[in-house]
Amino acid sequence: MTDAQETAAASSLRTTGGAPPDDGGSADSGAPTPLLEPREGIPPVIADEAALAEVIAAFAAGSGPVAVDAERASGYRYGQRAYLVQLRREGAGTALIDPVGCPDLSALGEALSGVEWVLHAATQDLPCLREIGMVPTRLFDTELAGRLAGFPRVGLGAMVEGVLGFVLEKGHSAVDWSTRPLPDPWLRYAALDVELLVDLRDALEKELDRQGKLDWARQEFDAIASAPPAEPRKDPWRRTSGMHKVRRRRQLGVVRELWQTRDRIAQRRDVSPGKVLSDAAIVEAALSLPMNVQALAALNGFGHRMGRRQLEQWQAAVDRAKALSEAQLPQPGQPVAGPPPPRAWADKDPVAAARLSAARAAVSALAEELNMPQENLIAPDAVRRVCWEPPAADEEAVADALTSYGARPWQVEQVAPVLAAALAGQGA
């Protein structure tokens, strides 16, 4: 056994409890230990059905929670599909699965149904896991657990170091995971990401229990596991970086046409849209409204490296937008469901603005007392909705309103009293 393997094997000695959020140290009094190798070495990548069947049998026969992670190729490929799935479970060891070779992992998901899945920042990975048939019925999110427990840094590396006393090498987090074959250093990194995830889960569970927040965390985890897939964004082109500079409807039409053209090309070529045309270039063209290809080529983002044919397709998109009738042009703003942006409250309704100020102060004080971020204590949108159209300023009415806006029972129990008091103080 190597020194690194001995260190990893000794991790159970370090998971007797979570590190207090503000002590700046790990559960061990010594310096953190680099975690260099998976304890059983780098497992082979599973890329065919026969090997996958063996993994499914092994993980179905394992015990305890299963650590799950996924690697995407954000910034390189179109969409957010998974290009590697990592799992680890007691009795089964670690598995690295290639979803390109094994695109349907529903049998694995079914084999792990009812088992608690341990993920870090679960909402980031669940969409791409769902695409390949892996949907948890129970989960434990170590990042969210860290937030609820009050840890100031909740990235996986920071949590593993602060709680367990090990240093994870994070140099390959932003690589192109669609690369084949995947290099050994990348596979080592991927295997180590699930190496101590269950150990971290156990330590955080103890810390949450110590703080009296374990039931709160379980409610949050259940809400994530039971949430339906997110609805597609309406008018995703409006999220183009730099859109705040675009004021006129005709210019908005150019942004929409260029964005949609870019998206079709990126999807066809399976590359990140930013590699086809930058957001900055789209906004530049919208503001300039170039008359022809020569004028377009003079703009930032449409330089000499772009061929004539490419320039013509972008100019054609600009021309399509310029040819739209007034009725076909997009409106400057999106219809907003619910209250207006808070910055507009003072002008639209000064009394509501005062309610919001008092409510925010009350929620901020409670979050500080409970040692957690305000947004994890209660969704800011729920607070805004209660303040914009306030119920009766009593605790029961406020509790009902928060529940209707999706607050979990623990959030309602904690927030309703202070919010009701804040509204009562403002004469709501």
Side-chain angles (χ1 to χ4, degrees):
M1 180 179 288
T2 66
D3 290 344
Q5 288 172 322
E6 289 177 354
T7 299
S11 64
S12 61
L13 300 177
R14 297 175 178 266
T15 56
T16 55
D22 298 319
D23 70 359
S26 69
D28 186 271
S29 59
T33 303
L35 192 60
L36 304 176
E37 290 286 339
R39 66 190 79 175
E40 297 99 10
I42 303 173
V45 177
I46 305 302
D48 62 71
E49 294 302 321
L52 177 61
E54 294 180 8
V55 166
I56 293 173
F59 274 79
S63 61
V66 58
V68 181
D69 191 20
E71 305 295 347
R72 298 177 297 280
S74 304
Y76 297 94
R77 296 289 183 175
Y78 185 85
Q80 294 295 314
R81 67 170 294 184
Y83 282 94
L84 188 71
V85 175
Q86 308 101 281
L87 304 98
R88 183 172 182 84
R89 191 180 190 195
E90 185 70 29
T94 296
L96 303 179
I97 303 175
D98 178 5
V100 178
C102 300
D104 181 4
L105 298 185
S106 56
L108 176 60
E110 291 169 6
L112 296 172
S113 179
V115 175
E116 181 185 82
W117 296 21
V118 184
L119 300 100
H120 192 81
T123 54
Q124 294 182 21
D125 286 341
L126 288 178
C128 70
L129 290 171
R130 181 179 280 112
E131 285 183 1
I132 53 179
M134 296 187 65
V135 182
T137 54
R138 298 170 51 213
L139 65 83
F140 189 107
D141 186 332
T142 50
E143 185 202 46
L144 181 52
R147 291 180 182 277
L148 295 175
F151 284 82
R153 298 168 60 224
V154 293
L156 180 59
M159 294 293 290
V160 168
E161 181 175 341
V163 177
L164 305 180
F166 290 93
V167 177
L168 288 176
E169 193 274 311
K170 298 297 290 181
H172 303 299
S173 59
V175 300
D176 180 3
W177 287 96
S178 68
T179 300
R180 292 297 183 273
L182 288 166
D184 277 357
W186 300 12
L187 297 174
R188 181 180 297 108
Y189 157 87
L192 289 174
D193 261 6
V194 292
E195 181 83 5
L196 296 179
L197 206 49
V198 173
D199 300 76
L200 180 61
R201 172 241 180 267
D202 293 344
L204 290 172
E205 182 179 61
K206 292 177 183 177
E207 180 63 19
L208 288 167
D209 191 37
R210 186 186 70 82
Q211 295 185 25
K213 299 175 180 176
L214 184 54
D215 182 60
W216 303 357
R218 286 173 175 156
Q219 290 182 38
E220 292 299 299
F221 302 155
D222 288 345
I224 295 172
S226 61
E231 293 288 332
R233 284 197 179 103
K234 184 180 180 182
D235 293 344
W237 60 269
R238 291 184 183 272
R239 297 176 63 85
T240 303
S241 180
M243 277 290 288
H244 63 282
K245 303 175 186 176
V246 182
R247 305 288 186 184
R248 291 156 47 196
R249 292 179 65 200
R250 186 70 57 187
Q251 295 171 333
L252 289 172
V254 172
V255 172
R256 181 176 65 185
E257 286 294 330
L258 285 172
W259 190 97
Q260 291 175 345
T261 299
R262 180 184 70 173
D263 194 65
R264 288 192 296 269
I265 295 169
Q267 188 170 12
R268 185 178 70 244
R269 291 169 47 190
D270 191 19
V271 296
S272 169
K275 289 187 175 296
V276 176
L277 188 70
S278 69
D279 280 9
I282 289 177
V283 171
E284 182 83 3
L287 296 176
S288 301
L289 296 175
M291 295 297 296
N292 50 42
V293 167
Q294 289 73 25
L296 180 69
L299 301 178
N300 290 332
F302 299 91
H304 64 279
R305 294 183 179 180
M306 192 172 286
R308 175 83 185 186
R309 186 175 177 182
Q310 290 176 296
L311 288 169
E312 287 175 348
Q313 73 182 359
W314 301 127
Q315 184 62 43
V318 173
D319 292 342
R320 286 195 298 273
K322 291 164 72 173
L324 293 173
S325 68
E326 285 294 318
Q328 293 172 314
L329 292 173
Q331 295 296 325
Q334 292 177 283
V336 177
R343 62 179 178 274
W345 285 32
D347 292 331
K348 290 180 177 291
D349 190 337
V351 176
R355 285 196 296 267
L356 182 61
S357 179
R360 282 175 162 175
V363 170
S364 177
L366 179 59
E368 186 172 350
E369 178 186 335
L370 295 175
N371 192 26
M372 70 172 65
Q374 293 181 47
E375 63 270 21
N376 292 115
L377 173 59
I378 189 70
D381 181 66
V383 176
R384 287 193 294 268
R385 288 174 181 269
V386 166
C387 292
W388 185 251
E389 296 180 347
D394 66 78
E395 189 174 326
E396 183 177 356
V398 171
D400 289 342
L402 290 175
T403 300
S404 72
Y405 297 137
R408 263 70 71 190
W410 77 268
Q411 294 175 314
V412 173
E413 181 182 2
Q414 295 296 318
V415 175
V418 299
L419 207 51
L423 294 176
Q426 295 298 313

